[in-house]
Amino acid sequence: MKTTRVPVRALAGALTLLAAACATAPEPPPGPSLTYEPTLPCAPHVSVATATSLTPEDPTGRYDVITPVNASSSCLVGPVGTAEGYVAYAMPMSGKPVSISAGAIVEPGRMLAPRVFTLTADGQVARTFPRAEMMARGNALAVLFRPRPDERYVVVSADAAAVAGAAGAGETPLSPYSYEGKAFARVYFEDPAK
Amino acid sequence: MKSVHRTVASAALVASVALAGCSTSSPTYNPVLPFDPGEAHIASFNVNGDAVAGKAVALNAPADYSNVALSNPAIYAPGVSPVAAGVGGALGVLLVSAIAAGIESARNERINNFLYAQGFDAKKVFYDALRKELGAEGYAMNVDGEGAAAADAGLEVSILQYGYQLAPVGSGWAPVAVANVTAKSSAGDVLMKDTVVVSARGAVPVLAPGGSGVGGDALRMPVGDDLMFANVDEIVEGDPARSVEALTYALEATAAGVARLLHNGGIEQAAAGTAETGPAGAPTVGGAQ
């Protein structure tokens, strides 16, 4: 399913404020999860068996998939030995994808601390993108890359070191880093949507 | 509520101006492309000389640039039809809104007269900043018409809009800039295509509960709260150094964004290696390592 945003945000924002004045107070947005208690056992490696497809029915234009990362997500034992939730996305199998953006949605109270890497068909790590290469675009923090022929999956996982605040001096998150949040991948196909 | 009236009025203005000039071309879709020079080693760029076109604008329409997208033109201005938005693509819509703002020409005149009186040279501010930012990334820069040296690649920057704009969430006026950027090899292949937006975000990023979609494509450079103004009077009759500082920031941040998009020779160079020579701490996958 292709998602296309039509922001009537300025009007919607004002109307939301008006509506809120008459309704009960809206729930505050969730704050960051600073610990992670996965319900599934964590594997030492990514399982691609349940990878989410990035192939829309009509592989044109752009195609977004947003996936919550929470206690019931697949999890792996990350580089610092801590459990990290992740989402594996299977690269498009049709159309001409020219670029892919992957990372985390910036939510008002928190954001998944994203680590993004790609896998080959046999599950080997092809590339790992440093967070220094990620950029604030739209509502997200993402790395934009051109998929290589040998890459079959792009994985977005929580970065435990970043949540713990050990990610390195000078990093100012757009929203407090969290183990739980929303991962996403967006494919840009060469051909415009019909 | 005043802000609703303003929004609706602005949208109506934008719509009326847009429809007057619209064509029936379909919206222009442009995939965003990260910088990838391939085998070439790019050490210098030739930049177009007309990056800063037109005068500064003062847009009395609150805007959240989270959705500005090269790849989805029909999304910026509420009330503008996708067909109208298609004229010139997403960024044509921004021009349209600038035209609509031009209808309130008295306000634009005040801003531009103020900048002229201050001796503000937007073109110089931008190109000086671009040279410095590209230099920090290891690139030399020529500008069209200067010098005879051939550069390794071409950089086309088009600052469609710069000036001051009513910021979202009622926080006042903030400096703003929007630029299209394309890098091309000497053979004409597109090496990078993107957009940079300098804008204030407002205190709460998203009003829709549960957040919203992925949003736009544009690389967003933030604007600090210290560069906000209560109204146009404060911009043109307040502390002139502050007003100039704010607009200088918008143009310098645009240059920084352009250089950021060319960072490290491109994403291919920046990404770490394969499983065999993978970086320490990369997650292990599959069986044998």
Side-chain angles (χ1 to χ4, degrees), chain A residues 101-115:
Chain A
S101 189
I105 302 290
V106 179
E107 301 170 68
R110 68 172 187 187
M111 64 181 291
L112 178 76
R115 182 175 49 244

Side-chain angles (χ1 to χ4, degrees), chain B residues 1-285:
Chain B
M1 279 195 176
K2 205 167 164 201
S3 59
V4 175
H5 279 308
R6 230 191 249 142
T7 310
V8 172
S10 300
L13 276 173
V14 169
S16 63
V17 172
L19 290 172
C22 79
S23 75
T24 52
S25 59
S26 55
T28 312
Y29 165 75
N30 271 300
V32 191
L33 294 170
F35 184 46
D36 181 5
E39 300 297 314
H41 172 66
I42 309 282
S44 60
F45 285 98
N46 185 58
V47 183
N48 58 307
D50 59 352
V52 189
K55 297 190 172 183
V57 294
L59 292 178
N60 189 21
D64 179 340
Y65 288 88
S66 296
N67 289 306
V68 169
L70 210 55
S71 60
N72 190 357
I75 66 173
Y76 172 61
V80 178
S81 74
V83 172
V87 177
L91 307 167
V93 174
L94 288 170
L95 281 177
V96 163
S97 70
I99 292 166
I103 288 170
E104 304 209 31
S105 59
R107 191 176 56 238
N108 268 15
E109 282 292 299
R110 289 183 75 201
I111 291 284
N112 281 293
N113 289 343
F114 164 76
L115 292 171
Y116 181 77
Q118 297 300 313
F120 187 79
D121 183 344
K123 189 169 162 170
K124 182 173 190 330
V125 168
F126 176 69
Y127 280 97
D128 285 354
L130 187 62
R131 190 178 299 275
K132 177 179 146 227
E133 297 286 351
L134 288 177
E137 292 290 343
Y139 303 113
M141 179 180 116
N142 294 337
V143 182
D144 264 356
E146 99 189 5
D152 298 328
L155 190 63
E156 175 87 21
V157 181
S158 181
I159 299 179
L160 296 170
Q161 172 179 300
Y162 72 98
Y164 306 86
Q165 184 155 16
L166 196 64
V169 201
S171 35
W173 290 69
V176 67
V178 182
N180 246 353
V181 194
T182 306
K184 286 190 177 169
S185 72
S186 40
D189 306 311
V190 176
L191 304 178
M192 182 268 278
K193 195 165 179 64
D194 219 315
T195 309
V196 178
V197 163
V198 180
S199 82
R201 186 140 196 177
V204 176
V206 173
L207 288 172
S212 54
V214 178
D217 306 316
L219 168 60
R220 197 182 75 85
M221 310 298 285
V223 172
D225 291 338
D226 56 324
L227 295 179
M228 302 290 257
F229 301 84
N231 47 41
V232 175
D233 283 349
E234 192 186 325
I235 296 170
V236 303
E237 289 168 17
D239 175 2
R242 235 188 113 235
S243 307
V244 166
E245 182 196 352
L247 196 50
T248 299
Y249 172 80
L251 292 166
E252 289 179 344
T254 305
V258 171
R260 181 84 177 76
L261 292 170
L262 298 167
H263 183 57
N264 256 354
I267 191 70
E268 290 292 316
Q269 277 66 31
T274 60
E276 294 85 54
T277 56
T284 59
V285 186

